Amino acid sequence: MEHITLLLGIVIVTALVFDFTNGFHDTANAMATTISTGALKPKTAVAMSAVLNLVGAFLSVEVAKTISGGIVNEDGLKTEVIFAALVGAILWNLLTWLVGLPSSSSHALFGGLIGAAVMSMGWSSINGGTVVTKVLIPALAAPLVAGLAATLATRLTYRIGRNTDTRATAKGYRAGQIASAGLVSLAHGTNDAQKTMGIITLALVTGGVLNPGANPPMWVIVSAGVAIALGTYLGGWRIIRTMGKGLTDLQPQQGFAAQTSAATVILASSHLGFSLSTTQSCSGAVMGAGLGRKGGVVRWSTATRMFVAWGLTLPAAGLVGAGAEFLTKQGPWGIAVTAALLIAGSAVIWALSRRNSVDHTNVTDDEIRHGHDTAGTEPVGVVTTAIAAVQPPPAGPLAAVGAPSDDPVKATIAAPTSTTTGAMADPARPATV
């Protein structure tokens, strides 16, 4: 480490900051459904996830090698390009966290790296084949595969337990959900912590500290694992709320199916070296679990906003990364200005987040009274109304008309309607499209 220059040191620190934001941005992937179904208390859930993220960081380096030696050509790549890429990734992570959207930290990193490299050396610096096969194709396939697996697993789970008492089996499913959430956390550390390892390794190669193709040193693995674990423990409560309450209403059986499916997809991709988005895999699994239960619905307006964010992540982070690279290549003053803009932008986003605070005390509330609620204030849509009208609820006696129910579909069917607006009479219940 004696050859690390000041610029290289700044890049390493910035990479670890990105890793930290990745941790709290993606905590929802593992723990949103566990928290929303009550299987674990919020602080217990994020603490468990943090420990397993750290353990997962030591299980493989295949994804790290894909990033450090696959997406961009190392020849001629400068250290400041990596710094610019990280600026784009961090700002996009913070912006999507502010609005509570579970976008892909992985694609933010890739977008920033591609944009900065193109600004520095042109399109020839990008390995297009690697980007397509190990980034774009997994981005499209992961949510579909995880969603289909979760749908089938949910239907199988309900079919197997159709003759059992729901309350009697709920405890067992909650225990299974905790185990599957731990598996997702382990998978997240295995996949996402490696992305930062790969970026730091790439920076060390450009700085002449490591030879091209080298594996991440142990100190890089340890620091990346610790950074993502700390971020995970902090808890991305805004995104946990969106995934746990905003996409669909999950029962323990669905949560177990969603997390098991997502973990399987993530671990398989890590073994193959595919740097897929854990966010997209887990979100797809949650939506699949929502559709897998009879009477279950997905809030498609929230899902649509997520899809838009996914589509914008690569180009948006790429544009910011390219702009940051334009400044950094002006010399030391440009690097200083870029660092100042990163700090200022992060401070502004943090200040804005304080206006509508979401933390472990209110993450599962149906409504946040003191600010704008990202889930649950939309009017009831025609899709939800139609599905509730034609599909039966899960196995078990139907709640009496007008009686309170813990099941969202039973409550939707049982709730009286307004003669003046046609909307559901209970405004506090999360609405759907």
Side-chain angles (χ1 to χ4, degrees):
M1 295 178 63
E2 63 273 12
H3 298 100
I4 294 180
T5 62
L6 176 61
L7 176 59
L8 189 54
I10 292 173
V11 171
I12 292 172
V13 171
T14 307
L16 294 176
V17 170
F18 165 77
D19 204 23
F20 181 81
T21 67
N22 191 350
F24 73 73
H25 196 280
D26 290 1
T27 307
N29 296 345
M31 291 302 169
T33 58
T34 305
I35 293 171
S36 68
T37 60
L40 283 176
K41 293 181 178 179
K43 293 295 288 184
T44 303
V46 296
M48 170 183 164
S49 183
V51 172
L52 291 172
N53 264 246
L54 179 60
V55 174
F58 292 89
L59 297 184
S60 172
V61 294
E62 292 302 317
V63 174
K65 290 192 290 186
T66 295
I67 295 174
S68 63
I71 292 178
V72 297
N73 295 321
E74 297 174 358
D75 296 336
L77 187 66
K78 298 180 180 179
T79 306
E80 54 262 31
V81 174
I82 302 174
F83 175 60
L86 290 167
V87 170
I90 291 172
L91 289 177
W92 182 255
N93 264 1
L94 292 177
L95 182 61
T96 50
W97 163 77
L98 176 65
V99 297
L101 286 177
S103 68
S104 171
S105 297
S106 307
H107 290 176
L109 180 60
F110 299 149
L113 184 59
I114 291 170
V118 170
M119 175 60 70
S120 176
M121 299 177 293
W123 288 102
S124 61
S125 62
I126 307 301
N127 293 324
T130 301
V131 172
V132 171
T133 58
K134 293 202 171 184
V135 177
L136 296 181
I137 291 178
L140 296 174
L144 295 176
V145 172
L148 179 60
T151 299
L152 296 176
T154 300
R155 291 182 177 178
L156 179 62
T157 298
Y158 276 109
R159 181 175 293 275
I160 292 174
R162 64 184 181 276
N163 295 322
T164 60
D165 180 65
T166 303
R167 293 185 179 182
T169 58
K171 185 175 181 180
Y173 279 116
R174 285 193 174 96
Q177 195 176 356
I178 293 171
S180 61
L183 190 60
V184 174
S185 297
L186 193 70
H188 183 253
T190 304
N191 198 286
D192 277 35
Q194 288 187 59
K195 299 179 175 94
T196 300
M197 296 179 205
I199 283 293
I200 295 177
T201 302
L202 184 60
L204 293 173
V205 170
T206 63
V209 178
L210 294 178
N211 294 322
N215 287 336
M218 180 56 66
W219 68 267
V220 173
I221 297 174
V222 172
S223 59
V226 170
I228 200 169
L230 288 175
T232 300
Y233 182 71
L234 180 65
W237 304 112
R238 309 173 83 85
I239 300 175
I240 289 175
R241 177 172 172 76
T242 298
M243 286 190 66
K245 303 285 288 186
L247 274 178
T248 186
D249 293 304
L250 293 179
Q251 296 179 347
Q253 295 94 321
Q254 294 167 281
F256 173 70
Q259 290 173 313
T260 303
S261 302
T264 302
V265 171
I266 296 168
L267 287 172
S269 69
S270 297
H271 177 71
L272 296 172
F274 290 156
S275 185
L276 90 171
S277 166
T278 56
T279 298
Q280 293 178 3
S281 300
C282 293
S283 299
V286 168
M287 286 185 278
L291 294 174
R293 175 172 61 86
K294 288 184 178 180
V297 293
V298 171
R299 297 180 176 91
W300 292 112
S301 60
T302 300
T304 300
R305 290 196 294 270
M306 287 173 47
F307 297 152
V308 171
W310 293 353
L312 289 176
T313 296
L314 273 170
L319 287 174
V320 177
E325 168 56 17
F326 177 78
L327 286 174
T328 59
K329 68 181 183 180
Q330 306 304 317
W333 71 267
I335 296 174
V337 169
T338 303
L341 290 174
L342 173 61
I343 295 172
S346 302
V348 169
I349 293 173
W350 181 85
L352 290 173
S353 73
R354 296 303 89 196
R355 297 181 180 180
N356 174 26
S357 179
V358 182
D359 56 27
H360 68 281
T361 63
N362 62 4
V363 68
T364 58
D365 291 349
D366 284 333
E367 186 175 0
I368 298 177
R369 298 292 182 185
H370 59 280
H372 175 67
D373 185 13
T374 59
T377 59
E378 302 169 277
V380 175
V382 293
V383 176
T384 298
T385 305
I387 292 176
V390 300
Q391 290 196 10
L398 181 65
V401 174
S405 172
D406 292 331
D407 185 86
V409 176
K410 293 179 184 179
T412 301
I413 297 174
T417 58
S418 169
T419 58
T420 57
T421 64
M424 292 298 168
D426 182 8
R429 181 168 294 281
T432 58
V433 173

